[in-house]
Amino acid sequence: MEREFSAEERARASAYHRPLYLALLADVALGAGLLAALAWSSLGDWLFSPLTSLPPVAAAAAYAALVTVLSSVVRAPLACWRGWWREREWGFSTQTLGGWLGDRVKGLAVSVLLGAGAWAAAVALARAMPGWWALPAGAALALAVLLLSFVAPVLLEPLFNRFRPLDDETLAASLRRLSERAGVPVRDVLVADASRRTTKVNAYVSGIGRTRRVVLFDTLLRGADPAAVEVVVAHELGHRREGHVAKLTLLAMVGAAVAVLVLWAVLGTRIADPRTLPEALLLLLALELAALAPGAWLSRRFERAADRWSLELTEEPAAFARAHLELARRNLSDLEPPRPVYLLLFSHPTAPERLALGRAWVEART
Ligand SMILES: [Zn+2]
């Protein structure tokens, strides 16, 4: 990696990322601390007290909404620092504070709706069938995950971004050819107006079945050379080709069902009491944390597979290298994350690792 990134670039990326890792840790601690206080101190009783006269299922929905809002408010200052203030300091955010808050309120509204619905359903099921509520609850949550994966691109993503078809005819035609070579004809290559928020560049695939799409940040199309854009799209087509969204959705469904079983094993029939919500959320948080390392490992595996596809499809290792250098520089990606951070959080290989993969691909062919 000495060849690609200067010592100064590596140090600058570290200086940007290290405080963010600490802030993330602090955020998890803050969230867990609040849940613990709600579960085992009088704070929980105080927050629940206005709801005691409601029927249990209605109280469950309302309590879930209250806990979600309270957690968001408590964590807001730190979230604002790392999500907006610091992003502006480093020249990435293009948002006003009002714009950032608007996003946060929209995200919170989605969380409140989903959380209140899920908790009300759990409490209702635990009351209706105390012995075996986990069975229908696990199945229902798995189905909800599937449904969310299907509707997210058409219902959730448009809450935060506008999408338009790629209007550059030449580029669109070459991307279509690429998708035919990949054997995954694309229904849609869309451009998201990410520049309303950030100067960072990215692309992703989302949706399943009829809602499948490849999405490019408009920031990616500014400046990057067309060959590099092709590399990025070929990578996303690699994800499509390998069915990564579907596989991850399936895994999330299994994970959701397992999580319900753990809740059932630990909390049993106590779920019928809406006040056990903080305990349930703490358990879910613990499961999430336990799933971080295996999840990141699997994701990095998928990313390497998609990178190999992008090389196979474009056969332009030089453009591959240019694209990843450009992505890493424009996003100020961490080039040498601390090992625990890499193992727990890195859903993608580092830029030096991806460049090495490109070199290995060339060597394997010669
Ligand atoms: Zn990827």
Side-chain angles (χ1 to χ4, degrees):
M1 71 189 260
E2 299 75 35
R3 276 174 285 171
E4 292 115 2
F5 296 101
S6 69
E8 197 207 333
E9 279 178 313
R10 297 202 299 269
R12 201 172 118 75
S14 285
Y16 170 63
H17 284 281
R18 297 304 143 95
L20 291 177
Y21 299 144
L22 288 176
L24 186 63
L25 191 64
D27 184 50
V28 172
L30 204 57
L34 175 68
L35 289 175
L38 286 170
W40 298 302
S41 82
S42 53
L43 182 67
D45 296 327
W46 171 78
L47 193 65
F48 194 83
S49 58
L51 313 174
T52 40
S53 56
L54 292 175
V57 175
Y63 192 46
L66 280 180
V67 169
T68 308
V69 171
L70 181 64
S71 171
S72 177
V73 168
V74 166
R75 292 155 69 190
L78 188 57
C80 181
W81 177 78
R82 71 185 167 110
W84 179 74
W85 190 83
R86 202 160 182 282
E87 288 292 284
R88 281 192 77 88
E89 289 273 287
W90 283 80
F92 291 123
S93 176
T94 55
Q95 257 184 323
T96 60
L97 181 59
W100 181 83
L101 279 171
D103 277 350
R104 186 143 173 107
V105 168
K106 278 189 268 184
L108 178 60
V110 172
S111 302
V112 163
L113 281 177
L114 294 177
W119 188 238
V123 169
L125 284 170
R127 299 181 83 82
M129 35 193 98
W132 47 285
W133 64 265
L135 223 57
L141 195 61
L143 282 177
V145 166
L146 177 64
L147 186 69
L148 271 181
S149 185
F150 181 71
V151 302
V154 285
L155 280 187
L156 297 183
E157 292 170 21
L159 287 177
F160 299 94
N161 281 103
R162 289 190 204 296
F163 299 90
R164 58 177 166 83
L166 185 62
D167 50 17
D168 179 334
E169 279 306 323
T170 325
L171 186 59
S174 79
L175 298 185
R176 253 193 310 277
R177 276 196 301 278
L178 204 58
S179 81
E180 278 152 23
R181 285 191 65 191
V184 281
V186 282
R187 193 185 303 272
D188 281 318
V189 173
L190 298 174
V191 180
D193 59 348
S195 59
R196 66 196 284 185
R197 238 171 244 121
T198 184
T199 60
K200 288 181 177 174
V201 294
N202 210 345
Y204 64 90
V205 275
S206 67
I208 39 179
R210 289 193 60 85
T211 63
R212 280 186 312 201
R213 76 256 334 264
V214 174
V215 177
L216 307 177
F217 278 24
D218 56 356
T219 45
L220 178 70
L221 299 174
R222 295 177 189 172
D225 60 304
V229 176
E230 275 190 40
V231 166
V232 171
V233 171
H235 170 100
E236 302 306 331
L237 292 171
H239 281 308
R240 281 273 309 270
R241 171 83 202 211
E242 299 263 328
H244 285 158
V245 175
K247 284 177 185 166
L248 288 175
T249 301
L250 193 65
L251 201 63
M253 291 171 71
V254 173
V258 168
V260 170
L261 284 180
V262 171
L263 285 181
W264 172 74
V266 177
L267 295 172
T269 52
R270 289 180 53 219
I271 291 277
D273 177 0
R275 254 184 276 200
T276 51
L277 175 68
E279 281 173 76
L281 289 176
L282 272 173
L283 264 175
L284 293 179
L285 177 63
L287 288 177
E288 245 177 86
L289 293 177
L292 278 181
W297 174 84
L298 183 67
S299 175
R300 289 192 302 268
R301 225 182 119 85
F302 283 2
E303 294 303 331
R304 281 193 293 270
D307 275 350
R308 277 190 287 271
W309 268 109
S310 76
L311 286 160
E312 290 295 330
L313 290 170
T314 59
E315 296 184 303
E316 288 203 58
F320 177 89
R322 276 205 311 280
H324 285 291
L325 276 169
E326 163 110 357
L327 284 173
R329 291 205 170 110
R330 288 181 64 185
N331 292 341
L332 197 55
S333 307
D334 199 351
L335 304 170
E336 35 197 18
R339 194 68 186 157
V341 169
Y342 178 81
L343 291 176
L344 288 170
L345 300 180
F346 266 56
S347 57
H348 290 63
T350 63
E353 285 180 315
R354 300 178 89 165
L355 292 167
L357 183 143
R359 286 194 299 272
W361 184 83
V362 173
E363 275 158 30
R365 275 167 58 104
T366 48

